[in-house]
Amino acid sequence: DAKTTQPNSMESNEEEPVHLPCNHSTISGTDYIHWYRQLPSQGPEYVIHGLTSNVNNRMASLAIAEDRKSSTLILHRATLRDAAVYYCILRDVGGGADGLTFGKGTHLIIQP
Amino acid sequence: DAGVTQSPTHLIKTRGQQVTLRCSPKSGHDTVSWYQQALGQGPQFIFQYYEEEERQRGNFPDRFSGHQFPNYSSELNVNALLLGDSALYLCASSLPTGTDTQYFGPGTRLTVL
């Protein structure tokens, strides 16, 4: 899997939007962009994924740059429960047998 | 619908001992992956099991081995434990195709003294 780069930490206020960036300049045409998060004392959980178009689900939105070399996870209205480590991961469409390659992720701190 | 379950929750062993960790996948999932997460780090892929065979392996020594049973549950075995094996061991289940979501269990915290 290609490498991703994320800020070590970010801080935001409760009930405000949060934009978590991820750079993946060496992404290939068959790499999907996945986001997982890990709440304290829990295993990672899936957030969202996309290939080229922006994606929305009940948890978040994923904005993908036109050249696909970067993406942004958007939490529209952060709550204290969104405090977690967020991981941006590239996964090849044919990589069914491959494990997820986690970096250190972004530690998101939410202030009340 | 039960999610991924792991046992035990916590485990303390001494150097040189052997340990077995267990995982039951989410209902309907036939693929199980194991990860090691050291303190302050992201999870590192150990291996994946599908159809009772090890399908892919990360950069871990042969001391780490596994098994998958016909009901898709899985075990992770670690022999000759080292202090550096102290970590959170995570199990994830999924369907076997490339972009399917992996569902993680809460993990087993292993401490090696």
Side-chain angles (χ1 to χ4, degrees):
Chain A
D1 291 335
K3 189 173 179 180
T4 62
T5 305
Q6 299 178 251
N8 289 333
S9 65
M10 290 184 64
E11 196 167 316
S12 183
N13 295 319
E14 197 176 11
E15 299 187 3
E16 289 185 356
V18 179
H19 291 235
L20 296 165
C22 180
N23 289 318
H24 28 78
S25 58
T26 59
I27 190 171
S28 75
T30 55
D31 281 332
Y32 277 76
I33 302 158
H34 288 247
W35 284 82
Y36 282 74
R37 72 179 185 180
Q38 188 170 19
L39 302 171
S41 302
Q42 295 187 27
E45 65 174 347
Y46 167 81
V47 177
I48 199 166
H49 77 281
L51 184 62
T52 56
S53 304
N54 294 345
V55 183
N56 300 294
N57 66 21
R58 63 173 182 82
M59 289 180 70
S61 295
L62 176 59
I64 302 172
E66 196 169 334
D67 64 4
R68 298 206 331 121
K69 293 185 177 183
S70 66
S71 60
T72 302
L73 179 70
I74 302 166
L75 306 180
H76 294 286
R77 197 161 172 259
T79 69
L80 295 177
R81 292 178 59 186
D82 291 319
V85 179
Y86 286 78
Y87 298 98
C88 171
I89 298 167
L90 301 184
R91 187 165 175 79
D92 188 273
V93 66
D98 298 335
L100 299 174
T101 300
F102 289 83
K104 289 191 174 183
T106 296
H107 184 200
L108 177 63
I109 299 165
I110 304 295
Q111 297 289 355
Chain B
D1 175 27
V4 179
T5 59
Q6 293 186 243
S7 64
T9 306
H10 296 86
L11 203 52
I12 299 175
K13 291 285 188 179
T14 56
R15 280 178 298 172
Q17 284 189 313
Q18 178 264 343
V19 68
T20 297
L21 311 181
R22 295 175 176 83
C23 171
S24 291
K26 182 178 168 65
S27 178
H29 285 179
D30 55 7
T31 302
V32 173
S33 302
W34 287 92
Y35 294 81
Q36 179 195 66
Q37 186 173 24
L39 206 59
Q41 304 295 317
Q44 300 298 306
F45 174 67
I46 302 174
F47 43 53
Q48 184 182 90
Y49 275 83
Y50 170 65
E51 293 188 341
E52 302 180 50
E53 296 284 335
E54 182 182 295
R55 192 161 75 148
Q56 189 75 0
R57 188 179 186 92
N59 189 25
F60 279 81
D62 292 345
R63 297 187 298 109
F64 290 77
S65 64
H67 187 78
Q68 186 178 35
F69 299 93
N71 67 352
Y72 308 127
S73 67
S74 177
E75 288 181 348
L76 165 66
N77 301 294
V78 186
N79 294 323
L81 284 167
L82 304 174
L83 295 180
D85 295 332
S86 295
L88 180 68
Y89 288 85
L90 295 159
C91 168
S93 74
S94 63
L95 296 172
T97 55
T99 59
D100 281 307
T101 299
Q102 293 201 0
Y103 291 82
F104 285 81
T108 293
R109 172 70 63 187
L110 173 65
T111 302
V112 182
L113 301 177

PDB file of all heavy atoms in Angstrom, chain A residues 47-77:
ATOM      1  N   VAL A  47     -14.743   4.362   9.041  1.00  0.00           N
ATOM      2  CA  VAL A  47     -15.472   5.627   8.957  1.00  0.00           C
ATOM      3  C   VAL A  47     -16.074   5.809   7.568  1.00  0.00           C
ATOM      4  O   VAL A  47     -17.281   5.976   7.410  1.00  0.00           O
ATOM      5  CB  VAL A  47     -14.549   6.819   9.295  1.00  0.00           C
ATOM      6  CG1 VAL A  47     -15.304   8.142   9.134  1.00  0.00           C
ATOM      7  CG2 VAL A  47     -13.995   6.694  10.716  1.00  0.00           C
ATOM      8  N   ILE A  48     -15.217   5.745   6.543  1.00  0.00           N
ATOM      9  CA  ILE A  48     -15.683   6.041   5.191  1.00  0.00           C
ATOM     10  C   ILE A  48     -14.592   5.639   4.195  1.00  0.00           C
ATOM     11  O   ILE A  48     -13.424   5.489   4.588  1.00  0.00           O
ATOM     12  CB  ILE A  48     -16.011   7.547   5.074  1.00  0.00           C
ATOM     13  CG1 ILE A  48     -16.925   7.857   3.887  1.00  0.00           C
ATOM     14  CG2 ILE A  48     -14.735   8.378   5.011  1.00  0.00           C
ATOM     15  CD1 ILE A  48     -17.534   9.270   3.953  1.00  0.00           C
ATOM     16  N   HIS A  49     -14.956   5.440   2.932  1.00  0.00           N
ATOM     17  CA  HIS A  49     -13.937   5.241   1.901  1.00  0.00           C
ATOM     18  C   HIS A  49     -14.453   5.729   0.557  1.00  0.00           C
ATOM     19  O   HIS A  49     -15.675   5.849   0.350  1.00  0.00           O
ATOM     20  CB  HIS A  49     -13.471   3.783   1.820  1.00  0.00           C
ATOM     21  CG  HIS A  49     -14.411   2.845   1.121  1.00  0.00           C
ATOM     22  ND1 HIS A  49     -15.530   2.328   1.729  1.00  0.00           N
ATOM     23  CD2 HIS A  49     -14.386   2.330  -0.128  1.00  0.00           C
ATOM     24  CE1 HIS A  49     -16.152   1.535   0.885  1.00  0.00           C
ATOM     25  NE2 HIS A  49     -15.491   1.522  -0.255  1.00  0.00           N
ATOM     26  N   GLY A  50     -13.501   6.016  -0.337  1.00  0.00           N
ATOM     27  CA  GLY A  50     -13.875   6.489  -1.670  1.00  0.00           C
ATOM     28  C   GLY A  50     -12.748   6.267  -2.655  1.00  0.00           C
ATOM     29  O   GLY A  50     -11.609   5.996  -2.275  1.00  0.00           O
ATOM     30  N   LEU A  51     -13.074   6.440  -3.941  1.00  0.00           N
ATOM     31  CA  LEU A  51     -12.079   6.256  -4.995  1.00  0.00           C
ATOM     32  C   LEU A  51     -11.761   7.576  -5.688  1.00  0.00           C
ATOM     33  O   LEU A  51     -10.620   8.020  -5.693  1.00  0.00           O
ATOM     34  CB  LEU A  51     -12.586   5.244  -6.019  1.00  0.00           C
ATOM     35  CG  LEU A  51     -11.615   4.877  -7.145  1.00  0.00           C
ATOM     36  CD1 LEU A  51     -10.361   4.222  -6.586  1.00  0.00           C
ATOM     37  CD2 LEU A  51     -12.294   3.972  -8.170  1.00  0.00           C
ATOM     38  N   THR A  52     -12.781   8.213  -6.258  1.00  0.00           N
ATOM     39  CA  THR A  52     -12.543   9.466  -6.967  1.00  0.00           C
ATOM     40  C   THR A  52     -13.521  10.555  -6.562  1.00  0.00           C
ATOM     41  O   THR A  52     -13.141  11.706  -6.397  1.00  0.00           O
ATOM     42  CB  THR A  52     -12.654   9.262  -8.482  1.00  0.00           C
ATOM     43  OG1 THR A  52     -13.945   8.708  -8.771  1.00  0.00           O
ATOM     44  CG2 THR A  52     -11.564   8.337  -9.004  1.00  0.00           C
ATOM     45  N   SER A  53     -14.763  10.178  -6.394  1.00  0.00           N
ATOM     46  CA  SER A  53     -15.787  11.179  -6.082  1.00  0.00           C
ATOM     47  C   SER A  53     -15.905  11.383  -4.581  1.00  0.00           C
ATOM     48  O   SER A  53     -15.577  10.508  -3.791  1.00  0.00           O
ATOM     49  CB  SER A  53     -17.141  10.715  -6.615  1.00  0.00           C
ATOM     50  OG  SER A  53     -17.075  10.449  -7.994  1.00  0.00           O
ATOM     51  N   ASN A  54     -16.386  12.552  -4.206  1.00  0.00           N
ATOM     52  CA  ASN A  54     -16.648  12.813  -2.791  1.00  0.00           C
ATOM     53  C   ASN A  54     -17.740  11.870  -2.293  1.00  0.00           C
ATOM     54  O   ASN A  54     -18.629  11.464  -3.044  1.00  0.00           O
ATOM     55  CB  ASN A  54     -17.060  14.269  -2.598  1.00  0.00           C
ATOM     56  CG  ASN A  54     -15.930  15.228  -2.925  1.00  0.00           C
ATOM     57  OD1 ASN A  54     -14.764  14.844  -3.024  1.00  0.00           O
ATOM     58  ND2 ASN A  54     -16.268  16.499  -3.106  1.00  0.00           N
ATOM     59  N   VAL A  55     -17.631  11.497  -1.030  1.00  0.00           N
ATOM     60  CA  VAL A  55     -18.537  10.516  -0.445  1.00  0.00           C
ATOM     61  C   VAL A  55     -19.105  11.058   0.853  1.00  0.00           C
ATOM     62  O   VAL A  55     -18.405  11.774   1.588  1.00  0.00           O
ATOM     63  CB  VAL A  55     -17.786   9.192  -0.156  1.00  0.00           C
ATOM     64  CG1 VAL A  55     -18.741   8.138   0.380  1.00  0.00           C
ATOM     65  CG2 VAL A  55     -17.063   8.686  -1.398  1.00  0.00           C
ATOM     66  N   ASN A  56     -20.355  10.709   1.120  1.00  0.00           N
ATOM     67  CA  ASN A  56     -20.994  11.098   2.382  1.00  0.00           C
ATOM     68  C   ASN A  56     -21.621   9.870   3.019  1.00  0.00           C
ATOM     69  O   ASN A  56     -22.164   9.015   2.325  1.00  0.00           O
ATOM     70  CB  ASN A  56     -22.094  12.136   2.135  1.00  0.00           C
ATOM     71  CG  ASN A  56     -21.564  13.393   1.496  1.00  0.00           C
ATOM     72  OD1 ASN A  56     -20.793  14.143   2.079  1.00  0.00           O
ATOM     73  ND2 ASN A  56     -21.971  13.637   0.253  1.00  0.00           N
ATOM     74  N   ASN A  57     -21.543   9.784   4.345  1.00  0.00           N
ATOM     75  CA  ASN A  57     -22.341   8.812   5.074  1.00  0.00           C
ATOM     76  C   ASN A  57     -22.762   9.450   6.390  1.00  0.00           C
ATOM     77  O   ASN A  57     -22.515  10.638   6.622  1.00  0.00           O
ATOM     78  CB  ASN A  57     -21.591   7.485   5.249  1.00  0.00           C
ATOM     79  CG  ASN A  57     -20.359   7.585   6.127  1.00  0.00           C
ATOM     80  OD1 ASN A  57     -20.209   8.504   6.926  1.00  0.00           O
ATOM     81  ND2 ASN A  57     -19.466   6.621   5.969  1.00  0.00           N
ATOM     82  N   ARG A  58     -23.366   8.661   7.249  1.00  0.00           N
ATOM     83  CA  ARG A  58     -23.938   9.235   8.473  1.00  0.00           C
ATOM     84  C   ARG A  58     -22.866   9.721   9.427  1.00  0.00           C
ATOM     85  O   ARG A  58     -23.118  10.533  10.302  1.00  0.00           O
ATOM     86  CB  ARG A  58     -24.841   8.226   9.162  1.00  0.00           C
ATOM     87  CG  ARG A  58     -24.125   6.973   9.652  1.00  0.00           C
ATOM     88  CD  ARG A  58     -25.019   6.069  10.478  1.00  0.00           C
ATOM     89  NE  ARG A  58     -24.273   4.910  10.953  1.00  0.00           N
ATOM     90  CZ  ARG A  58     -23.489   4.924  12.023  1.00  0.00           C
ATOM     91  NH1 ARG A  58     -23.342   6.022  12.730  1.00  0.00           N
ATOM     92  NH2 ARG A  58     -22.839   3.841  12.395  1.00  0.00           N
ATOM     93  N   MET A  59     -21.636   9.221   9.263  1.00  0.00           N
ATOM     94  CA  MET A  59     -20.577   9.603  10.185  1.00  0.00           C
ATOM     95  C   MET A  59     -19.801  10.825   9.715  1.00  0.00           C
ATOM     96  O   MET A  59     -19.375  11.658  10.518  1.00  0.00           O
ATOM     97  CB  MET A  59     -19.589   8.449  10.380  1.00  0.00           C
ATOM     98  CG  MET A  59     -20.115   7.283  11.169  1.00  0.00           C
ATOM     99  SD  MET A  59     -18.880   5.988  11.345  1.00  0.00           S
ATOM    100  CE  MET A  59     -17.723   6.778  12.451  1.00  0.00           C
ATOM    101  N   ALA A  60     -19.545  10.892   8.406  1.00  0.00           N
ATOM    102  CA  ALA A  60     -18.610  11.900   7.908  1.00  0.00           C
ATOM    103  C   ALA A  60     -18.754  12.084   6.407  1.00  0.00           C
ATOM    104  O   ALA A  60     -19.534  11.388   5.751  1.00  0.00           O
ATOM    105  CB  ALA A  60     -17.175  11.464   8.231  1.00  0.00           C
ATOM    106  N   SER A  61     -17.960  13.021   5.877  1.00  0.00           N
ATOM    107  CA  SER A  61     -17.824  13.202   4.435  1.00  0.00           C
ATOM    108  C   SER A  61     -16.356  13.059   4.073  1.00  0.00           C
ATOM    109  O   SER A  61     -15.468  13.367   4.880  1.00  0.00           O
ATOM    110  CB  SER A  61     -18.319  14.575   4.004  1.00  0.00           C
ATOM    111  OG  SER A  61     -19.700  14.702   4.237  1.00  0.00           O
ATOM    112  N   LEU A  62     -16.113  12.593   2.871  1.00  0.00           N
ATOM    113  CA  LEU A  62     -14.755  12.455   2.359  1.00  0.00           C
ATOM    114  C   LEU A  62     -14.644  13.279   1.085  1.00  0.00           C
ATOM    115  O   LEU A  62     -15.377  13.028   0.124  1.00  0.00           O
ATOM    116  CB  LEU A  62     -14.438  10.988   2.063  1.00  0.00           C
ATOM    117  CG  LEU A  62     -13.075  10.691   1.435  1.00  0.00           C
ATOM    118  CD1 LEU A  62     -11.934  11.174   2.335  1.00  0.00           C
ATOM    119  CD2 LEU A  62     -12.938   9.197   1.151  1.00  0.00           C
ATOM    120  N   ALA A  63     -13.748  14.262   1.125  1.00  0.00           N
ATOM    121  CA  ALA A  63     -13.502  15.089  -0.047  1.00  0.00           C
ATOM    122  C   ALA A  63     -12.169  14.677  -0.656  1.00  0.00           C
ATOM    123  O   ALA A  63     -11.148  14.679   0.030  1.00  0.00           O
ATOM    124  CB  ALA A  63     -13.464  16.568   0.352  1.00  0.00           C
ATOM    125  N   ILE A  64     -12.186  14.318  -1.938  1.00  0.00           N
ATOM    126  CA  ILE A  64     -10.995  13.820  -2.623  1.00  0.00           C
ATOM    127  C   ILE A  64     -10.571  14.835  -3.667  1.00  0.00           C
ATOM    128  O   ILE A  64     -11.383  15.263  -4.501  1.00  0.00           O
ATOM    129  CB  ILE A  64     -11.280  12.456  -3.284  1.00  0.00           C
ATOM    130  CG1 ILE A  64     -11.740  11.450  -2.218  1.00  0.00           C
ATOM    131  CG2 ILE A  64     -10.044  11.945  -4.020  1.00  0.00           C
ATOM    132  CD1 ILE A  64     -12.228  10.135  -2.777  1.00  0.00           C
ATOM    133  N   ALA A  65      -9.296  15.221  -3.624  1.00  0.00           N
ATOM    134  CA  ALA A  65      -8.789  16.188  -4.590  1.00  0.00           C
ATOM    135  C   ALA A  65      -8.894  15.632  -6.003  1.00  0.00           C
ATOM    136  O   ALA A  65      -8.879  14.416  -6.204  1.00  0.00           O
ATOM    137  CB  ALA A  65      -7.337  16.529  -4.268  1.00  0.00           C
ATOM    138  N   GLU A  66      -8.983  16.525  -6.966  1.00  0.00           N
ATOM    139  CA  GLU A  66      -9.160  16.097  -8.351  1.00  0.00           C
ATOM    140  C   GLU A  66      -8.008  15.219  -8.835  1.00  0.00           C
ATOM    141  O   GLU A  66      -8.220  14.254  -9.572  1.00  0.00           O
ATOM    142  CB  GLU A  66      -9.286  17.328  -9.257  1.00  0.00           C
ATOM    143  CG  GLU A  66      -9.843  17.026 -10.626  1.00  0.00           C
ATOM    144  CD  GLU A  66     -10.198  18.285 -11.399  1.00  0.00           C
ATOM    145  OE1 GLU A  66     -10.488  19.324 -10.769  1.00  0.00           O
ATOM    146  OE2 GLU A  66     -10.170  18.228 -12.644  1.00  0.00           O
ATOM    147  N   ASP A  67      -6.780  15.520  -8.404  1.00  0.00           N
ATOM    148  CA  ASP A  67      -5.632  14.704  -8.797  1.00  0.00           C
ATOM    149  C   ASP A  67      -5.436  13.496  -7.877  1.00  0.00           C
ATOM    150  O   ASP A  67      -4.495  12.715  -8.055  1.00  0.00           O
ATOM    151  CB  ASP A  67      -4.352  15.546  -8.854  1.00  0.00           C
ATOM    152  CG  ASP A  67      -3.946  16.116  -7.501  1.00  0.00           C
ATOM    153  OD1 ASP A  67      -4.618  15.792  -6.490  1.00  0.00           O
ATOM    154  OD2 ASP A  67      -2.980  16.879  -7.440  1.00  0.00           O
ATOM    155  N   ARG A  68      -6.279  13.357  -6.877  1.00  0.00           N
ATOM    156  CA  ARG A  68      -6.302  12.255  -5.903  1.00  0.00           C
ATOM    157  C   ARG A  68      -5.047  12.185  -5.048  1.00  0.00           C
ATOM    158  O   ARG A  68      -4.831  11.203  -4.346  1.00  0.00           O
ATOM    159  CB  ARG A  68      -6.513  10.911  -6.611  1.00  0.00           C
ATOM    160  CG  ARG A  68      -7.810  10.828  -7.337  1.00  0.00           C
ATOM    161  CD  ARG A  68      -8.399   9.436  -7.539  1.00  0.00           C
ATOM    162  NE  ARG A  68      -7.453   8.362  -7.624  1.00  0.00           N
ATOM    163  CZ  ARG A  68      -7.429   7.315  -6.789  1.00  0.00           C
ATOM    164  NH1 ARG A  68      -8.306   7.235  -5.806  1.00  0.00           N
ATOM    165  NH2 ARG A  68      -6.538   6.364  -6.939  1.00  0.00           N
ATOM    166  N   LYS A  69      -4.249  13.221  -5.026  1.00  0.00           N
ATOM    167  CA  LYS A  69      -3.033  13.181  -4.220  1.00  0.00           C
ATOM    168  C   LYS A  69      -3.277  13.630  -2.788  1.00  0.00           C
ATOM    169  O   LYS A  69      -2.353  13.606  -1.957  1.00  0.00           O
ATOM    170  CB  LYS A  69      -1.941  14.028  -4.882  1.00  0.00           C
ATOM    171  CG  LYS A  69      -1.466  13.442  -6.201  1.00  0.00           C
ATOM    172  CD  LYS A  69      -0.308  14.202  -6.793  1.00  0.00           C
ATOM    173  CE  LYS A  69       0.170  13.508  -8.080  1.00  0.00           C
ATOM    174  NZ  LYS A  69       1.350  14.184  -8.659  1.00  0.00           N
ATOM    175  N   SER A  70      -4.469  14.038  -2.489  1.00  0.00           N
ATOM    176  CA  SER A  70      -4.811  14.377  -1.116  1.00  0.00           C
ATOM    177  C   SER A  70      -6.308  14.182  -0.908  1.00  0.00           C
ATOM    178  O   SER A  70      -7.072  14.120  -1.877  1.00  0.00           O
ATOM    179  CB  SER A  70      -4.425  15.811  -0.782  1.00  0.00           C
ATOM    180  OG  SER A  70      -5.196  16.716  -1.546  1.00  0.00           O
ATOM    181  N   SER A  71      -6.681  14.073   0.353  1.00  0.00           N
ATOM    182  CA  SER A  71      -8.099  13.957   0.694  1.00  0.00           C
ATOM    183  C   SER A  71      -8.317  14.574   2.060  1.00  0.00           C
ATOM    184  O   SER A  71      -7.356  14.815   2.820  1.00  0.00           O
ATOM    185  CB  SER A  71      -8.552  12.494   0.674  1.00  0.00           C
ATOM    186  OG  SER A  71      -7.824  11.720   1.610  1.00  0.00           O
ATOM    187  N   THR A  72      -9.571  14.844   2.359  1.00  0.00           N
ATOM    188  CA  THR A  72      -9.933  15.458   3.634  1.00  0.00           C
ATOM    189  C   THR A  72     -11.146  14.763   4.208  1.00  0.00           C
ATOM    190  O   THR A  72     -12.161  14.618   3.518  1.00  0.00           O
ATOM    191  CB  THR A  72     -10.247  16.954   3.460  1.00  0.00           C
ATOM    192  OG1 THR A  72      -9.113  17.616   2.896  1.00  0.00           O
ATOM    193  CG2 THR A  72     -10.573  17.598   4.812  1.00  0.00           C
ATOM    194  N   LEU A  73     -11.032  14.316   5.441  1.00  0.00           N
ATOM    195  CA  LEU A  73     -12.176  13.766   6.159  1.00  0.00           C
ATOM    196  C   LEU A  73     -12.858  14.913   6.881  1.00  0.00           C
ATOM    197  O   LEU A  73     -12.197  15.680   7.599  1.00  0.00           O
ATOM    198  CB  LEU A  73     -11.724  12.710   7.165  1.00  0.00           C
ATOM    199  CG  LEU A  73     -12.845  12.094   7.993  1.00  0.00           C
ATOM    200  CD1 LEU A  73     -13.722  11.200   7.114  1.00  0.00           C
ATOM    201  CD2 LEU A  73     -12.282  11.289   9.159  1.00  0.00           C
ATOM    202  N   ILE A  74     -14.150  15.034   6.704  1.00  0.00           N
ATOM    203  CA  ILE A  74     -14.891  16.140   7.302  1.00  0.00           C
ATOM    204  C   ILE A  74     -15.907  15.599   8.294  1.00  0.00           C
ATOM    205  O   ILE A  74     -16.776  14.796   7.941  1.00  0.00           O
ATOM    206  CB  ILE A  74     -15.617  16.962   6.215  1.00  0.00           C
ATOM    207  CG1 ILE A  74     -14.588  17.486   5.197  1.00  0.00           C
ATOM    208  CG2 ILE A  74     -16.391  18.127   6.843  1.00  0.00           C
ATOM    209  CD1 ILE A  74     -15.204  18.010   3.920  1.00  0.00           C
ATOM    210  N   LEU A  75     -15.765  16.045   9.542  1.00  0.00           N
ATOM    211  CA  LEU A  75     -16.786  15.793  10.556  1.00  0.00           C
ATOM    212  C   LEU A  75     -17.581  17.081  10.650  1.00  0.00           C
ATOM    213  O   LEU A  75     -17.040  18.130  11.015  1.00  0.00           O
ATOM    214  CB  LEU A  75     -16.137  15.459  11.895  1.00  0.00           C
ATOM    215  CG  LEU A  75     -15.108  14.319  11.895  1.00  0.00           C
ATOM    216  CD1 LEU A  75     -14.550  14.110  13.292  1.00  0.00           C
ATOM    217  CD2 LEU A  75     -15.715  13.042  11.358  1.00  0.00           C
ATOM    218  N   HIS A  76     -18.852  17.014  10.338  1.00  0.00           N
ATOM    219  CA  HIS A  76     -19.610  18.252  10.152  1.00  0.00           C
ATOM    220  C   HIS A  76     -19.895  18.990  11.453  1.00  0.00           C
ATOM    221  O   HIS A  76     -19.956  20.213  11.462  1.00  0.00           O
ATOM    222  CB  HIS A  76     -20.909  17.942   9.413  1.00  0.00           C
ATOM    223  CG  HIS A  76     -20.656  17.477   8.009  1.00  0.00           C
ATOM    224  ND1 HIS A  76     -20.266  18.354   7.015  1.00  0.00           N
ATOM    225  CD2 HIS A  76     -20.687  16.254   7.448  1.00  0.00           C
ATOM    226  CE1 HIS A  76     -20.095  17.673   5.879  1.00  0.00           C
ATOM    227  NE2 HIS A  76     -20.337  16.401   6.130  1.00  0.00           N
ATOM    228  N   ARG A  77     -20.040  18.245  12.531  1.00  0.00           N
ATOM    229  CA  ARG A  77     -20.335  18.873  13.816  1.00  0.00           C
ATOM    230  C   ARG A  77     -19.738  17.980  14.898  1.00  0.00           C
ATOM    231  O   ARG A  77     -20.385  17.024  15.325  1.00  0.00           O
ATOM    232  CB  ARG A  77     -21.836  19.027  13.977  1.00  0.00           C
ATOM    233  CG  ARG A  77     -22.293  19.993  15.032  1.00  0.00           C
ATOM    234  CD  ARG A  77     -23.746  20.409  14.778  1.00  0.00           C
ATOM    235  NE  ARG A  77     -24.250  21.199  15.897  1.00  0.00           N
ATOM    236  CZ  ARG A  77     -25.030  20.731  16.847  1.00  0.00           C
ATOM    237  NH1 ARG A  77     -25.415  19.483  16.827  1.00  0.00           N
ATOM    238  NH2 ARG A  77     -25.443  21.519  17.832  1.00  0.00           N
TER     239      ARG A  77
END
